[in-house]
Amino acid sequence: MDDAPVKPLFDAEEVIHDDSNPALVWEAVIGTAVTNRVSDVHACAQRDGYELSFRLDGDLRRQGSFSHEFGRRLIGHVKSVSGMDLSEHRRPTEGRMKLPAGDRTVDLRISAVPGIHGQDIVVRLFDSTVRLIHLAELGLLAEQLDTLRDMMSRPTGLILVAGPSGGGKTTTLYAMLREMIAFPQKIITIEDPVEYDIPTVAQTQANPRIGVTFATMLTAILRQDPDVIMVGEIRDVETAVTAVRAANTGHLVLATTHATRASRAVETLLSLGVHPYFLSSALRCVLAQVLVKRVCDNCKTPLPETADIVLEDAVLRRLPEGAEPQLWQGTGCDQCRNTGYRGRTALFELFVSNERIREMILSRAGAGEIDQAAEETGMLTLELAGKLSAVAGLTTMEQIIDALPSL
């Protein structure tokens, strides 16, 4: 990759001045963010002024700075148009709004938090007009896709999608729901917020500020005669217990949880107070995932270091027939803004419960023991999936090492 600096997408120091119109600057910032697939916009108060940053492909990229004076005016405008309390400076506040961006409408979730130098604001962007991707487009291996579809066809049970925050779990759930709407069944979701409008799916939204939590909504929708329930996130004891109970009483439940690997999702639910017996009988599978940067297709070049990498048989036999393993790197170009990467791809680890693993859940076995049992059944671990992705030319070993420190 070239050593040339990464150019900002929005040069704040060039565009923003103290007499700038905050409404026009706000529209320009969000327009630039939408055009460039930015997931979050940060305006953080520092000692000498505000710093503007974009999160793109998982990285926080600085876009320049502007004065405290303009920062206060900009945040005042954002809070005003998003329905936030302009007079509240001491407590965290949240707001939401829709904003036209060209021929699209973008949903914005806004969080303001007081800091020692002023209010910090972060805007999460949800482009509801973006096409929902198909399950087959996520990057699952054929064997993983077939197994997941088999689990999705079951009438009851719990399917967990695990991964870090911002790791693409919701995208995976939506891809699963998109495929499931083809069947004659009632699907209800509980989300916070609803990111995409899915035809024929009854979508509901949690609102903890008025006491409408995931747990209370889940209890309520069980009376709506659902076949499939999607829970945006299991984050507390009540939601965990109710979701497992629903999976044990004639419903198929899809849910996400924060866990670094498939086996640790089991530990998470047990630590939340779910009874081992009910979890062992409800759990169908756990799909763990992590996002890594994708090598820029325009400037990627082969690396001679391929011969030095140790590749397990599990990786070699999953390469396309006749394909030779090859490591790649991006040298940097205009299309990737000299980073060598453009976009992200997912690595998956699919852990399927069986009789032995159910017994291990009942005895509260550790994640390491469950990992070993799952690997003995042929599960492709995240580490192996990472190596496979690297030698297939999708990402780099540096990215795999960063995403999976245990490698």
Side-chain angles (χ1 to χ4, degrees), residues 224-360:
Q224 294 287 307
D225 189 30
D227 297 297
V228 179
I229 301 169
M230 188 269 267
V231 181
E233 183 182 346
I234 293 179
R235 59 175 66 160
D236 56 55
V237 174
E238 192 176 356
T239 305
V241 172
T242 308
V244 171
R245 177 167 60 87
N248 274 312
T249 55
H251 308 88
L252 182 63
V253 179
L254 317 178
T256 74
T257 187
H258 292 291
T260 55
R261 3 205 3 130
S263 59
R264 297 199 183 280
V266 174
E267 285 188 335
T268 298
L269 264 63
L270 291 175
S271 68
L272 285 173
V274 176
H275 194 284
Y277 173 79
F278 296 114
L279 179 59
S280 67
S281 60
L283 187 65
R284 293 285 177 262
C285 66
V286 184
L287 183 68
Q289 63 182 79
V290 64
L291 294 179
V292 294
K293 294 178 191 175
R294 191 181 183 106
V295 178
C296 176
D297 288 329
N298 187 60
C299 63
K300 74 177 184 180
T301 57
L303 284 174
E305 290 87 345
T306 302
D308 298 331
I309 187 172
V310 177
L311 295 176
E312 293 82 352
D313 289 340
V315 173
L316 293 173
R317 69 170 178 265
R318 288 178 168 93
L319 287 172
E321 187 175 353
E324 291 294 327
Q326 175 64 60
L327 294 177
W328 301 79
Q329 73 168 0
T331 57
C333 65
D334 289 340
Q335 290 192 22
C336 64
R337 308 187 72 83
N338 291 314
T339 64
Y341 299 99
R342 183 171 173 81
R344 290 193 287 180
T345 188
L347 311 177
F348 294 97
E349 175 181 274
L350 182 58
F351 147 70
V352 179
S353 184
N354 57 26
E355 187 60 37
R356 181 184 175 192
I357 290 174
R358 283 191 286 273
E359 292 175 359
M360 297 178 80

Side-chain angles (χ1 to χ4, degrees), residues 15 30 38 57 126 172 215 239 325 330 383:
V15 175
I30 297 301
V38 170
D57 294 338
F126 298 99
T172 298
T239 305
E383 288 81 6

Side-chain angles (χ1 to χ4, degrees), residues 118-308:
Q119 292 187 83
D120 293 347
I121 194 165
V122 176
V123 183
R124 172 65 59 88
L125 287 76
F126 298 99
D127 189 350
S128 57
T129 61
V130 171
R131 178 182 65 88
L132 289 174
I133 70 174
H134 291 278
L135 195 60
E137 297 174 314
L138 289 176
L140 291 156
L141 296 179
E143 64 197 77
Q144 293 173 324
L145 183 59
D146 290 343
T147 301
L148 183 59
R149 281 174 168 159
D150 178 38
M151 296 295 106
M152 290 162 51
S153 70
R154 308 293 177 90
T156 66
L158 176 65
I159 298 176
L160 290 174
V161 179
S165 179
K169 300 186 296 297
T170 302
T171 298
T172 298
L173 281 184
Y174 274 118
M176 294 166 68
L177 290 179
R178 174 177 177 155
E179 191 156 305
M180 297 174 79
I181 61 177
F183 302 100
Q185 54 190 349
K186 182 170 184 178
I187 303 174
I188 304 181
T189 74
I190 311 169
E191 307 173 58
D192 183 25
V194 174
E195 296 183 26
Y196 299 98
D197 186 359
I198 309 176
T200 76
V201 175
Q203 295 174 265
T204 68
Q205 186 160 300
N207 190 347
R209 288 179 292 181
I210 60 172
V212 182
T213 64
F214 277 100
T216 55
M217 283 298 298
L218 181 53
T219 300
I221 67 173
L222 285 173
R223 304 187 186 100
Q224 294 287 307
D225 189 30
D227 297 297
V228 179
I229 301 169
M230 188 269 267
V231 181
E233 183 182 346
I234 293 179
R235 59 175 66 160
D236 56 55
V237 174
E238 192 176 356
T239 305
V241 172
T242 308
V244 171
R245 177 167 60 87
N248 274 312
T249 55
H251 308 88
L252 182 63
V253 179
L254 317 178
T256 74
T257 187
H258 292 291
T260 55
R261 3 205 3 130
S263 59
R264 297 199 183 280
V266 174
E267 285 188 335
T268 298
L269 264 63
L270 291 175
S271 68
L272 285 173
V274 176
H275 194 284
Y277 173 79
F278 296 114
L279 179 59
S280 67
S281 60
L283 187 65
R284 293 285 177 262
C285 66
V286 184
L287 183 68
Q289 63 182 79
V290 64
L291 294 179
V292 294
K293 294 178 191 175
R294 191 181 183 106
V295 178
C296 176
D297 288 329
N298 187 60
C299 63
K300 74 177 184 180
T301 57
L303 284 174
E305 290 87 345
T306 302
D308 298 331

